[in-house]
Structure formats: structure tokens, C-alpha cells
Amino acid sequence: MTSLLKTRFLLSLCSGVALVAGAGVAAFARPNHLLPQYQVLGQATQSAQATDTAATATANTTTTTTPTSAVPSSGSGATASAQTGASASSASASPLLARTARLRSVLTASPLASSAPTYGPTRPPGGLDAATGVPALWQNATIGQIGAMADGSVQQSDKNSPNGVAGLDATGVMTAPVSGDLSSATARISAAGAVGRPLAERFADQLNAKDFGLALDGKTDDTAALQAAKNAAASGAVIQLPAGKLALKSAPTGSTPNLWQANGTLQADGGPLLSLGTDVLESTLEGGKYFVRGQTAADMPPVLRKDLDITHSGGTAGFVMNLEKGNCTIPSVGAALNDYVWCHSTVLNSAAFGGGQHVAQASMAQRPANALADGKGSRSQIWAGYDETRDDTGQPSNIAGSLVGREIDIYANADDPNNWRIGLQLQIAGADSTGTPGRIGKGIALGNNDSTSAYGIMIDAAGRFDTAGIDLSRSTPVNNAPVLNIGANRNLAFSDDHKPHFQFDSAAYTLRYWYDTTPLFSVGMNGDVTTAIANPGSGVAWTLGGQALIGLNLSSLTTPEAMRLGAGQALSWEPTAVVQTRFADGKLTEQVAPGVARTLDTQGNETIPGAAHNSQTVVSLSQPTASAFVAQGKAAIGLDTTSLTAPDALRLAGGQAVSWEQTAAVQTRFANSTLQDTWGGAALRTLDQSGNETVTGSTLNSGMTTHVNNSSASAVTVTGTAGIGVNLSGLATAQALRLGSGQAVAWEPTGVITTGYTATGLRDANGSTTLRALDTAGNETLSGALTPAAGVRLPTFSRAAIKGMSNLPIGTTLYDADDDTPAIYTSAGWKLATLSAIP
């Protein structure tokens, strides 16, 4: 390093000498070193400079040139002649250019011999020139060669100057300038295998809005800078925002999504930055990390998405791999006594309308359709959600504190008429609607993780309700499944003390109702009912209140004893229990008033205190081959019920008939919910409970719907002579007559001329030939000519209205009121007809 510096110093000295010899030339006006010892050298060469000046003056006044071939090849005289000739040859250009050209031409002179004496200031005759040797250099060189080297050397005045070079500090390290473009410079990190890259490429890896003129002073509008940064960013790229105050008139816009990283960036008023259009903003706000999107567009991706693909096999048994895990520790000292600390919080604010669904938090565990394709058998359990709340203190809750697995709260006012507010909803469905129906083994399963722990109450419905505590009315049992199963020998209680309760005795297969330890009511497996009454003072064994058609119906009971009473017990017939029937003292006694009774002993002897006459006798028959009542002889009336005030003159059982002649072929009966008149078992006329009458044959019917099923007869046939065939003028309905589609009205006895409605419209026909047709759009088609008695009048419209009509049938004719002439619609549009006056 020392020898190099010495060489640099000597080269600078020699270069300085050469430059002194060429004073006045712009390219060599600045020496390398301005040390005092070299100033003497400059004074010694002034005579040579004067000679050069004289030569220059001569070149300015003459155009004579000396051929280069006449210049001597060596010696100081030859050199002087060469200088003069060079100056003369360039006189036509400029004295300064001539001198410069002469100086450049001598820089390539051949070096001197290496046997030059020790270096010292010399003053050769005629001064210094490019061929003068300089002794004692590191390498023998001519002054011309030294000048060439000095021309490419670094000068002291170039250090840290514009278009100069950067200086080194005392340790040899370069300090980059504060200003200037270093984008083309390269840099390489210290990691093994790293390569150098241009700084511009490295800076472009992640955009910073500062690179686009972002001010962040809270006053300058940064809208254009942010928009420029977004325009330059690729879709999905990250744009950084450094700390400062952002003044915006509007948020950046664009269809490509970006992520803005705001590191302490605030709004102009000092408030937190919470939104940048539809892009996601990652902000360090209040000392924490925030992800937010202030506005949305349709079909946008989530603000934050996390994916974890499990690709390995094996591992430690029981190890739990998490996509995301959060730890929240609350020590005994560190949180205020009444602080609410929520380790995870999701808040959804929605005011949207319509049929969409907005979910605050959703979890889905899915076994894909091809999960069994590898043939490895049954898969692992998958859980959509798992909550575990632990108390590891080993102390009871009144000491250790409360513990809740999960709480679901609903806050709302007013009624819920549609039952849309649901605390917890479980829905099931088949994974594929085309496959077999799915089945969930248990809707809600409450169990134990050990064999000793117990619930106090498994389900506690402690709230107020106005419909039902548990509603299973809309469920659909399959295969006669029970809607509630409590198991045998278990209690279904009805009060807090559990004394009144139901229990199914599996040994006796009997359902029992208990009060405390006493069975009060039992139903056996064969339907037998046993009641135990233990209240002899005021209790009643069986009480029926309210209104009913029959108080107690035993008609379907096949036992000979409909009711059994104990000896001496009475059957009361009215509320005061005065009218009674009882069996006592070997007699059946019926009492209607105190002291007034009728008795029947075991021998069949009857004792009646009054007369034996009865006008309401019920006769029971037990001989199915005989008539219940037979009237023979002659009488004005077979059965007279005119004086009977009962609404039923005669009551028949379902399916029984009234016969109208001796053979019983003609009958009337009520069967199959219809009143029927039959002949020989065939129903000729029926009347249902809605008043509809069905007649086999024809009938004249008023006010009823008649169904005709005799295709060979007319529905209604009118014969004879009358003023009007069918008079509907007094009928207060808008429809005088209704015909079915395809039916027609015939206008003469042969039925040739008809009017009817078919799929094409209203049709007047002569046999099968359509004479006139009117379709649903009001278009009328005639088979013949239109001959109106008063002429044809065209519909009249304004010109603008007619021109607004289009897609009309060709030939449509209207009257143009503005032009006072007919207009015809043609394939080329509307055309006006030409009119001329009648002569």
C-alpha cells in the first residue's frame, strides 16, 4: 500500500509538470498537487511557454503549413519544430485547439531508457516536452505517458464532489452520500448462498406509500399518493404506511384487492385509522394488531384466512395439532375484581334485510366424499366444536366458584309470532339428497366421563313460557317410537317435592300414579283400572264436570256387568241424590221421592205405589227373525206421529233402510255418508252432506248441482209449449249460462249452426266449418266478406301514436288524424294511402 501511494504521488508530480507546460489548455488546467516545491518548476518553464505563445501568434497571422514528414524524428529541436508545425497545421481552426492537438499527439511517445539518473528537477534546453525522460520512477515513462496516467487518475478536488468520487474514511470504508440515486447499486446479505441484487429490486419487494409522495403531516392531502401506490401494486400485494397523520379526501379505489400495513398511522385529527376503502387494513392500533375492512364489494374473500393441511403420519399419541391457539391467563392478582375478560370475542352487527343468513361464528367439520377411498377402514372422530371448562381445585363450587360450560343468551323485545327467535337449534339432513336418508343417533346426549359423578338436574327449564315447556307436537315418530322415554321404575314428578309422580312398574307391567308412597291410580297391561281412595270425609271417587253428550259411555264394554255397586250402595239420578236406585235387603229399590219407591224382589214380584201406565216404553228385542212392530188390518194412518213434539219422528241406525213396498225393492237409507234412494240395491239418487245431489237419469233441479252419468240422455229436456224455453232474466248472477271448453250452443234442431269456445277462441260454425272466430287478443277472422250497413270506420290515432306501434300483423289499417288519411302497416313499416276527391 505504501509503494502504491508513493507511485501515485510521483505520477501526480510528473503529471503536474506536463500540465504546467501546457498552461492555457482547458483539459489540463488543474494540477494534482499544489505543493511549494513544484511551484519553482513552473517558473523555470515560463520561457518555453513564451515560445509556445509566439508560435500561436504566428499561426493566427499566416496560413503556411509545414508537412508532417519534414519534422525531425528526435531531439529538442525536432520537438520544437514539430510543435510549430502542429500549431501551423491547425491554425485554420483555433489556436487553443491547435495547442491541444499538439499536446495530445506527444502523449504516445516511446519511453526513454531505464538508465536515467536519479530524479531531480531538471531544466533541459528548450524546456520540457512530451519526450523528456523522467528518471527514478517506479517504471520508466515519458512525460506523455505520465500525463496519460494522470488524465485517468483521481484528483483531490474530485473527492465528494458532483460527478466526482466518494471518499474513504480512516478505516477505508466508504460512506454513501445523503443525496443521490443509488438504485443501480447492488447489495448482498451475509447469509450463505446469497447473491447480490440491485437496491431498486430489493426496495420493490414491498411497496411503501412514501415512495409515491406520501406526506403524512396531517395537512397535505395524501389521496393522490395512496391512489398512486395502489395503482402500482399487484393484486394481493402489501403496501406499507409508516407512522404519521394521514389526511385523505377519499379512500383509494380499484378492483384489485391489497393489504395495507399501517404501522402507527393515524388520521389527520389523531384518531386511529380504521378503513381504507374495500381493502384490508392491518393496523398497529392501541398497542395491538387489528385487521379491518371498512367497506365491502360483492364476492370478496375473508379479511383473514388461516389454512392448515395435515400431511404427516404418526406422531406422539394424543398430541393436539392446532390451526390456531390462544392462551389467556388470569392470575389471582392482576385483574380487577369485577373485570370481564373474554379470551375470544366475535361481534356481528347486521341491519340487512332479505332472506340471507348472517352468522357471528361458524364451525364445520367435514369428512369428504372420498375419505374412504384408500380402503383403510373407519375414519377418526370429527367434532364441529368442543368446549371444556375445568375446575382443578378439587373443592366444591361454593368455595371454588361458579363453572359454566357454555351460556347462550338472547336479548330481544316484543313478541315472536313466527317463532324465529331460537336459543339453540339442531338441524339434520342427509349429506346427499339422492342417497339414503341420514340418521343421527342422538340429538342431544348428556353423559358422564366417569362412573361416579352425577348431575343435580340434567335439564333445568327455569324460565317463563307461554306455549309449552317441552313441545314435541311437531315431531314425527317413526316405527311407533315414544316421544318421551323415562325408562321403567323411574319417576315422572309433578312438583318440587316429587310427591305426586308417575311410575311404570316393570314387574307388574302397570302404570301407577303415586302420592308420596301411596299408589292412587293404576292401569294394568290389559287396561284394567284400579283406584285407591283414602279420603272418606269429603272425597269423591269419580267426578265428571263440564258438558258432554254422554256422561259415561259403557256401550262398547262386552262384560255383562256395566257397573257394579256394593250392597247398600245407591245410584243417584240427580244432584240432590233424592232419586236413587240401590239393592238392599234382597230387593232392588228405585226411589223418586222420600217414601215413594218401587221394589222388585228376587222372585220377580214388583211393588208399585201408584198406577201402572207408561207412555215411553223402550222395547228390547232378542229375536232377529221377527219384526219389531207389525200393524195389520185397516186404519186411516199406519203410524201417527203428528202429535209428537220430538224433532225425530223416526230414527234409524246407520245402514238401516225404510222400504216403500212389500218386496222391499224400493228403499231409502243413510249409508256411506249419503242419503240414498235405491231400487233393487242400485242407488238411483244420492244426497251428500254438502247438499250435492247425484241422479241416475234426468231431473229438473233448482238450486242444486246435478251430476249426470247417463251418457245417452239429455241433462235437461224441455218439451211442450211455453212462452220462453229457459228464462234466466230473474237470476241475480252475472253468468247466465256456463259451458265447458269445447262445448257449443246449437241454434236449430239439427245442431248444425253452433257457437262455442275452443282453444283458438270464440267460434261460430256451420257444421265443422268455422264461419267467424274471435281470439283472446280481440282479433276477429271471417270466412266471408264484412258488409256493415253503415260503412267501415277505421280506429283513429295521432301520427305519433301510430309511429309508436310496431310488430303488428301486415295489413293493419288505422286512420292518421294528423294527415287525415288511412295508414297501412307493411313489411317496410307504416305507409299512408293516397286519397283523391270524389268528382
Side-chain angles (χ1 to χ4, degrees):
M1 186 67 174
T2 303
S3 61
L4 177 62
L5 291 176
K6 288 180 177 179
T7 303
R8 195 73 176 270
F9 176 82
L10 292 175
L11 289 174
S12 300
L13 173 63
C14 296
S15 177
V17 173
L19 291 175
V20 169
V25 181
F28 301 92
R30 186 174 55 191
N32 268 357
H33 304 288
L34 300 179
L35 300 179
Q37 58 267 36
Y38 299 116
Q39 302 298 322
V40 177
L41 180 62
Q43 296 173 0
T45 58
Q46 289 179 355
S47 60
Q49 294 176 359
T51 303
D52 291 338
T53 303
T56 302
T58 304
N60 289 337
T61 57
T62 179
T63 57
T64 304
T65 349
T66 303
T68 55
S69 58
V71 178
S73 59
S74 63
S76 60
T79 301
S81 300
Q83 292 173 349
T84 305
S87 300
S89 64
S90 60
S92 61
S94 168
L96 181 60
L97 292 177
R99 181 173 177 82
T100 301
R102 181 171 61 85
L103 182 62
R104 294 289 186 184
S105 66
V106 301
L107 292 179
T108 57
S110 59
L112 299 177
S114 59
S115 59
T118 304
Y119 173 73
T122 59
R123 299 175 178 79
L128 296 177
D129 59 20
T132 303
V134 181
L137 292 175
W138 174 72
Q139 175 178 322
N140 292 335
T142 65
I143 292 178
Q145 292 172 327
I146 294 174
M149 290 185 287
D151 193 27
S153 66
V154 177
Q155 303 181 31
Q156 288 291 333
S157 58
D158 293 337
K159 181 178 179 181
N160 294 330
S161 298
N163 297 322
V165 296
L168 302 178
D169 60 13
T171 62
V173 177
M174 180 189 74
T175 301
V178 176
S179 62
D181 184 9
L182 297 178
S183 60
S184 60
T186 60
R188 179 177 62 86
I189 62 176
S190 60
V195 298
R197 289 197 296 156
L199 294 181
E201 181 180 336
R202 289 189 58 85
F203 291 151
D205 288 345
Q206 196 167 35
L207 295 179
N208 192 307
K210 274 282 191 178
D211 296 331
F212 298 89
L214 190 68
L216 286 178
D217 57 6
K219 300 178 181 179
T220 306
D221 183 16
D222 292 321
T223 301
L226 256 63
Q227 187 63 56
K230 182 172 178 61
N231 294 342
S235 177
V238 177
I239 307 174
Q240 291 187 338
L241 293 175
K245 291 185 177 182
L246 190 64
L248 287 179
K249 291 184 178 179
S250 60
T253 59
S255 59
T256 58
N258 294 106
L259 173 64
W260 299 80
Q261 289 182 338
N263 298 313
T265 315
L266 302 175
Q267 297 187 61
D269 58 1
L273 184 62
L274 298 176
S275 174
L276 277 180
T278 59
D279 286 338
V280 175
L281 174 65
E282 176 188 350
S283 177
T284 52
L285 180 63
E286 299 174 350
K289 182 70 71 175
Y290 282 71
F291 289 85
V292 64
R293 174 181 285 136
Q295 302 174 17
T296 61
D299 304 327
M300 296 193 74
V303 172
L304 180 64
R305 171 173 170 168
K306 303 176 181 179
D307 293 319
L308 172 64
D309 291 338
I310 308 299
T311 58
H312 69 277
S313 60
T316 305
F319 178 78
V320 178
M321 180 169 291
N322 303 283
L323 171 61
E324 180 181 1
K325 183 176 181 180
N327 292 319
C328 178
T329 303
I330 306 175
S332 58
V333 177
L337 185 62
N338 295 322
D339 274 356
Y340 286 82
V341 180
W342 295 9
C343 291
H344 181 77
S345 176
T346 300
V347 178
L348 169 66
N349 292 301
S350 175
F353 67 92
Q357 294 183 352
H358 308 148
V359 181
Q361 186 172 355
S363 300
M364 183 179 74
Q366 181 179 7
R367 183 175 289 114
N370 62 348
L372 301 174
D374 55 10
K376 293 184 178 180
S378 178
R379 306 290 103 167
S380 303
Q381 297 181 12
I382 56 175
W383 298 15
Y386 172 74
D387 294 318
E388 177 178 323
T389 306
R390 300 179 60 94
D391 184 347
D392 294 331
T393 64
Q395 299 297 320
S397 62
N398 60 336
I399 296 176
S402 176
L403 198 68
V404 178
R406 171 160 288 209
E407 178 178 340
I408 299 176
D409 296 332
I410 295 181
Y411 295 91
N413 293 339
D415 193 14
D416 183 18
N418 296 325
N419 295 324
W420 285 350
R421 297 171 184 161
I422 302 174
L424 176 63
Q425 175 170 314
L426 302 177
Q427 296 282 101
I428 67 169
D432 185 354
S433 59
T434 61
T436 58
R439 182 178 183 272
I440 304 299
K442 299 177 182 180
I444 298 177
L446 302 177
N448 295 80
N449 285 333
D450 58 34
S451 59
T452 57
S453 299
Y455 293 94
I457 299 175
M458 296 199 74
I459 297 179
D460 183 6
R464 298 172 63 246
F465 60 90
D466 61 6
T467 303
I470 298 176
D471 186 1
L472 301 173
S473 62
R474 293 184 296 155
S475 60
T476 304
V478 180
N479 298 327
N480 201 28
V483 295
L484 181 63
N485 187 358
I486 65 173
N489 303 316
R490 296 177 179 176
N491 297 341
L492 180 61
F494 296 96
S495 67
D496 291 339
D497 59 8
H498 303 166
K499 289 185 177 181
H501 61 272
F502 269 117
Q503 183 190 79
F504 180 75
D505 186 346
S506 61
Y509 228 74
T510 299
L511 180 63
R512 304 184 190 278
Y513 175 72
W514 297 71
Y515 183 81
D516 202 359
T517 59
T518 303
L520 303 181
F521 183 86
S522 300
V523 180
M525 60 181 298
N526 294 319
D528 50 300
V529 179
T530 302
T531 303
I533 304 298
N535 191 354
S538 59
V540 179
W542 193 279
T543 300
L544 292 177
Q547 297 178 353
L549 180 64
I550 300 175
L552 183 63
N553 190 349
L554 304 175
S555 61
S556 299
L557 193 62
T558 59
T559 179
E561 289 184 325
M563 184 181 298
R564 176 178 290 187
L565 300 177
Q569 292 180 340
L571 179 61
S572 299
W573 297 102
E574 37 76 55
T576 63
V578 172
V579 182
Q580 297 180 352
T581 298
R582 66 161 49 90
F583 183 80
D585 301 328
K587 296 179 181 180
L588 180 63
T589 303
E590 293 181 333
Q591 175 182 297
V592 296
V596 180
R598 178 177 62 181
T599 62
L600 180 68
D601 61 19
T602 56
Q603 303 299 319
N605 300 313
E606 183 178 8
T607 302
I608 300 176
H613 60 87
N614 196 338
S615 63
Q616 191 175 1
T617 301
V618 177
V619 179
S620 298
L621 305 177
S622 59
Q623 189 178 3
T625 60
S627 301
F629 183 80
V630 178
Q632 296 178 345
K634 297 179 180 180
I637 300 174
L639 181 62
D640 189 359
T641 59
T642 57
S643 300
L644 190 63
T645 59
D648 290 343
L650 180 64
R651 175 174 290 185
L652 302 178
Q656 292 179 341
V658 174
S659 298
W660 298 105
E661 37 77 59
Q662 292 182 351
T663 63
V666 181
Q667 295 180 350
T668 297
R669 63 164 48 85
F670 184 78
N672 300 324
S673 300
T674 59
L675 183 63
Q676 299 176 348
D677 290 335
T678 64
W679 194 314
L684 302 179
R685 180 173 60 183
T686 61
L687 182 66
D688 63 19
Q689 294 174 332
S690 298
N692 300 313
E693 184 179 15
T694 302
V695 179
T696 302
S698 62
T699 183
L700 296 178
N701 196 333
S702 175
M704 293 186 291
T705 301
T706 302
H707 298 273
V708 181
N709 55 9
N710 189 350
S711 58
S712 62
S714 301
V716 177
T717 301
V718 180
T719 60
T721 303
I724 301 174
V726 178
N727 190 348
L728 302 175
S729 61
L731 190 63
T733 178
Q735 293 184 349
L737 182 64
R738 173 177 288 183
L739 300 179
S741 180
Q743 292 179 340
V745 175
W747 296 106
E748 35 80 50
T750 62
V752 174
I753 308 300
T754 59
T755 296
Y757 181 82
T758 65
T760 58
L762 189 61
R763 174 176 177 267
D764 291 334
N766 183 356
S768 60
T769 303
T770 301
L771 301 179
R772 180 173 58 182
L774 182 67
D775 65 14
T776 54
N779 299 312
E780 184 176 23
T781 303
L782 298 177
S783 297
L786 179 63
T787 310
V792 177
R793 179 180 178 184
L794 298 177
T796 302
F797 295 90
S798 66
R799 181 192 304 166
I802 294 176
K803 293 177 68 176
M805 301 177 186
S806 60
N807 299 325
L808 298 176
I810 301 299
T812 301
T813 304
L814 302 175
Y815 195 84
D816 187 344
D818 295 339
D819 296 297
D820 197 24
T821 185
I824 304 174
Y825 190 80
T826 69
S827 59
W830 288 101
K831 302 293 184 181
L832 291 177
T834 302
L835 301 179
S836 60
I838 297 177

